[in-house]
Structures are given as C-alpha cells and as structure tokens.
C-alpha cells in the first residue's frame, strides 16, 4: 500500500512539474514576443521621425472625388488600435491607395467622411461626443455611415467577456483571473466550453495552447443553444482543430487554407465580425491569416473551445493593442499580397483561407 501511494505521489509530482514547465515556457515566449513587438514598434517610430512624419502633418485626402484637408492628429482621435487610427498613424502611408495626383484616396461618400471628421474634431475639444455610438447624417447615407463606422472601428469596442461555461458537470476546470480564462481538462474525453455571452458586433480574443496531450483540440465559434458532446460537429460550428481539420458548419475540410493544426505553445488572435459574416484567425507561429465565411443569417455566436484529453490546457485572453493590430493589418491588407484570384470580400491584399461556398 505504501509503495502504491508513493508511486501515485510520484506521478502527481511529475504531472505538476510538466505543468509548471509548460507554463514557464509559455510565459517566456510571451515575454520574448512582447520584447520583439516593442523593438519593432520603436524601429517604426524611429523611421517615421526620420521621414518627417508627425501628428501635425496636414493631409490631403480624396474622398469619393472631394478633397479634404485634415490634420493627421484629428484622424488619430479614433480609438487606439482601430483601423482608422492604424491607417493614418504614419506607419502605413505607403500602403494607402492614391489618386492620380498622389493624394490618399478613400472610397466612401464625402458626406459620410464629413460626418466622421466632425465627430473626431469634437472629440479633440473634449466634448460629450466621446459617449456617442452613432452619428447624425442624411437618411440616404445612414446605412453607409453605419457600415463605415464598424469597418474602421470608429467607436470603442466594449470589453469582450471571456466568461465560459460547460454543459458537463465534471471533467473541465474553468478558472478566470486578471489575465483571462484558463480551461483545463481534468477527466474524460471531449469536454467543451462556451461563451456565456452572445457576440453582438465585432470581437477579438487571444487563444493560447498551454499543453496538449492527445493531439486534438478545437477553437472557434458556435451558435448552438444547447451544444452536444461533440459540438465541433454541430451545424453552427466554425473553427480550427488539430491534424489540419477546419470545420465549416460542422463539416471537416482538411487542410483548408494550408492549416496544419495546433501545437503546444501556439498563440492565435481571433476576429469575429458579425456584419461581415467572417471569422478570422491570425496564427502567430506560421504568421498566416485564415478566414472562414459564416452564414449571412443572424445567429447568436459564442466563443467555443473543445478539448480532448486529460491535461489539455488552453488560455483565452484579451489581445494587447499590438496583437489586435497584427490581425487588423493582416485582415485589411497593409503590406500583404492577396492570394485570391477573384474579387476578395475579405479585403484587398489579405492572406487568408480559400473562399468557401455559402
């Protein structure tokens, strides 16, 4: 009996050591990535200073054929990390479309841009404009203005809830802390966790693989109200699993977009855009953006994580500003080459999975 107890204790100690080692490795990788991001950002700032790019620059922008003169600092009143702020930060000037006269070009109706400029100028004066979630405009431009505001991230996004739940009573540990939510499988096979809140518009989250034991896990979204035991196969499951599995509506399309699968230490930034009906995932190890087309009809989308074996551990967190920038830059095509040979609805210049039917 004593020898069995000692053997069990030894197994527990070894498991604890493996867990600690995996978490220390993940922490070291995070610190290295943060240091690299800071170094890259500083290098870009130095290059901007050398090129004479400042917030006081007066920009001449062709918007749908009408010329606007606006200070760069006014456009930078848009929320930090938004597409509008990124575009005019000075770091991506060379990637912005130009007209025949070399002026920056935006393909939108002039009244729409004028309404946005008025809002940003009011923000500079510390007006109550900061609390707005919509802008006044003539009725004929309302739909376009709403779409533009969402696309360019004009209004600050509410902090996304990372609270998860599981339909299984045992076998899955879900722990929330200041850094995010850790999901750990403790018993059984195929345990799933889902977001407690429905995603309404646009949401981003970071998915990290701390450890993986049996070579399977799934990350993505689902709209199932009462997910089954194997929810990755439900008709509303969209996401990426191991062994190159890519699920669209619960059907596996192996290797879609060059996807190879999850490994311990992987990090990915997810971007769910309800208006655009797309789920995007930027995978840091392969530096590849993958895109899945979601059904156009309105659904109640939630976070979805599916683990397979004991000791599988993943973590969900709020992306840093730099991490959000990585997926926005990749999604909108700054400095990247589009691999599509048709009219790409995911954004000109985007690297992503091949277009899917439906």
């Amino acid at each position: 009996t004593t020898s069995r107890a000692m053997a069990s204790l030894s197994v527990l100690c070894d498991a604890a050591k493996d867990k600690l080692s995996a978490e220390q490795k993940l922490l070291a990788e995070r610190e290295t990535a943060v240091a690299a991001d800071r170094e890259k950002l500083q290098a870009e700032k130095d290059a901007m200073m050398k090129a004479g790019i400042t917030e006081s620059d007066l920009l001449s922008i062709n918007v749908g054929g009408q010329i606007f003169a606006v200070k760069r600092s006014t456009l930078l009143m848009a929320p930090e990390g938004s597409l509008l702020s990124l575009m005019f930060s000075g770091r991506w000037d060379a990637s912005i479309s130009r007209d025949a006269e070399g002026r920056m070009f935006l393909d939108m109706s002039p009244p729409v841009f004028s309404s946005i400029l008025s809002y940003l100028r009011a923000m500079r004066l510390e007006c109550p404009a900061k609390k707005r979630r919509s802008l006044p405009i003539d009725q004929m431009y309302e739909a376009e203005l709403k779409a533009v505001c969402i696309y360019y991230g004009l209004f600050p996004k509410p902090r996304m809830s990372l609270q998860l739940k599981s339909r299984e009573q045992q076998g899955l540990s879900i722990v929330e802390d200041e850094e995010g939510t850790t999901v750990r499988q403790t018993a059984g096979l195929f345990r799933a966790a889902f977001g407690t809140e429905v995603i309404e518009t646009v949401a981003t989250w970071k998915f990290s693989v701390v450890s993986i034991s049996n070579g399977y896990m799934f990350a993505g979204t689902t709209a199932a109200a009462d997910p089954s035991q194997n929810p990755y196969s439900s008709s509303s499951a969209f996401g990426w699993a191991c062994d190159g599995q890519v699920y669209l509506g619960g059907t596996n399309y192996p290797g879609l977009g060059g996807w190879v699968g999850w490994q311990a230490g992987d990090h990915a930034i997810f971007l769910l855009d309800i208006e655009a009906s797309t789920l995007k995932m930027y995978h840091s190890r392969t530096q590849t953006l993958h895109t899945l087309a979601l059904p156009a009809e309105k659904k109640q989308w939630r976070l979805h994580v599916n683990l397979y074996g004991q000791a599988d551990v993943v973590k969900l967190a709020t992306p840093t500003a730099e991490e959000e920038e990585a997926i926005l830059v990749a999604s909108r095509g700054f400095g990247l080459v589009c691999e599509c040979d048709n009219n790409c609805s995911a954004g000109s210049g985007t690297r992503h999975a091949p277009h899917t039917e439906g």
Side-chain angles (χ1 to χ4, degrees):
T1 303
T2 302
S3 60
R4 288 180 180 176
M6 291 297 291
S8 297
L9 181 60
S10 177
V11 171
L12 290 174
C13 288
D14 289 342
K17 287 179 180 178
D18 291 343
K19 174 189 170 185
L20 179 60
S21 177
E23 291 180 346
Q24 287 176 334
K25 181 181 178 182
L26 184 60
L27 179 59
E29 289 176 348
R30 285 180 182 172
E31 290 175 345
T32 300
V34 169
D37 286 342
R38 286 176 178 169
E39 185 176 340
K40 179 182 177 182
L41 180 59
Q42 187 58 50
E44 290 175 346
K45 287 181 177 179
D46 292 343
M48 287 167 58
M49 289 295 292
K50 187 175 180 180
I53 296 174
T54 67
E55 290 188 5
S56 61
D57 291 345
L58 184 62
L59 304 179
S60 181
I61 307 175
N62 181 341
V63 182
Q66 182 174 329
I67 309 303
F68 287 79
V70 55
K71 280 190 173 183
R72 189 186 297 274
S73 57
T74 298
L75 296 170
L76 294 181
M77 291 303 299
E80 182 180 1
S82 67
L83 178 59
L84 189 63
S85 178
L86 289 173
M87 281 182 66
F88 294 102
S89 64
R91 300 164 63 190
W92 307 102
D93 283 6
S95 298
I96 298 176
S97 298
R98 304 272 174 168
D99 65 11
E101 303 298 323
R103 289 180 291 243
M104 296 178 179
F105 178 78
L106 294 179
D107 188 11
M108 69 176 74
S109 299
V112 170
F113 190 66
S114 182
S115 178
I116 291 172
L117 275 186
S118 178
Y119 169 65
L120 296 176
R121 285 166 177 155
M123 288 184 66
R124 294 193 64 179
L125 301 175
E126 297 294 330
C127 291
K130 288 187 177 181
K131 298 180 180 179
R132 293 184 190 173
R133 288 297 179 270
S134 63
L135 301 178
I137 198 170
D138 188 277
Q139 186 176 1
M140 69 179 296
Y141 297 109
E142 283 181 355
E144 181 183 351
L145 178 60
K146 179 181 178 181
V148 167
C149 287
I150 292 172
Y151 182 82
Y152 286 102
L154 191 62
F155 302 119
K157 291 186 300 182
R159 184 177 177 86
M160 180 182 173
S161 171
L162 295 174
Q163 188 175 20
L164 302 175
K165 62 181 179 180
S166 174
R167 71 190 302 272
E168 290 88 6
Q169 297 299 315
Q170 298 179 340
L172 204 64
S173 166
I174 301 175
V175 178
E176 299 174 33
D177 57 31
E178 293 181 354
E179 295 184 354
T181 301
T182 300
V183 184
R184 183 188 310 274
Q185 185 157 334
T186 57
L189 300 175
F190 287 114
R191 295 290 187 264
F194 308 88
T196 59
E197 295 186 8
V198 173
I199 299 171
E200 299 290 347
T201 54
V202 178
T204 56
W205 66 94
K206 182 177 181 179
F207 176 80
S208 299
V209 182
V210 179
S211 63
I212 180 169
S213 57
N214 291 305
Y216 184 86
M217 63 177 49
F218 172 97
T221 60
T222 185
D226 184 23
S228 62
Q229 183 179 3
N230 299 331
Y232 57 86
S233 61
S234 76
S235 61
S236 66
F238 289 77
W240 296 267
C242 291
D243 299 324
Q245 297 178 20
V246 182
Y247 285 87
L248 285 82
T251 300
N252 177 24
Y253 293 84
L256 181 66
W259 174 245
V260 294
W262 299 109
Q263 294 181 12
D266 273 355
H267 306 284
I269 309 299
F270 283 76
L271 171 61
L272 175 61
D273 190 333
I274 303 299
E275 291 289 332
S277 298
T278 56
L279 174 64
K280 300 185 180 186
M281 185 265 290
Y282 181 75
H283 189 248
S284 61
R285 172 166 53 86
T286 59
Q287 296 186 352
T288 305
L289 179 72
H290 299 269
T291 300
L292 300 181
L294 303 179
E297 63 267 22
K298 185 175 177 60
K299 291 181 178 292
Q300 295 189 321
W301 297 105
R302 304 173 188 270
L303 294 180
H304 175 193
V305 174
N306 203 167
L307 307 183
Y308 175 79
Q310 295 182 37
D312 286 353
V313 183
V314 300
K315 184 154 190 161
L316 284 79
T318 300
T320 64
E322 291 80 7
E323 288 167 341
E324 282 210 33
E325 179 178 340
I327 192 165
L328 281 173
V329 167
S331 299
R332 307 311 188 197
F334 295 140
L336 299 180
V337 178
C338 182
E339 296 176 346
C340 301
D341 51 3
N342 60 339
N343 187 19
C344 177
S345 61
S348 176
T350 302
R351 281 198 180 101
H352 56 80
H355 292 276
T356 57
E357 295 294 327

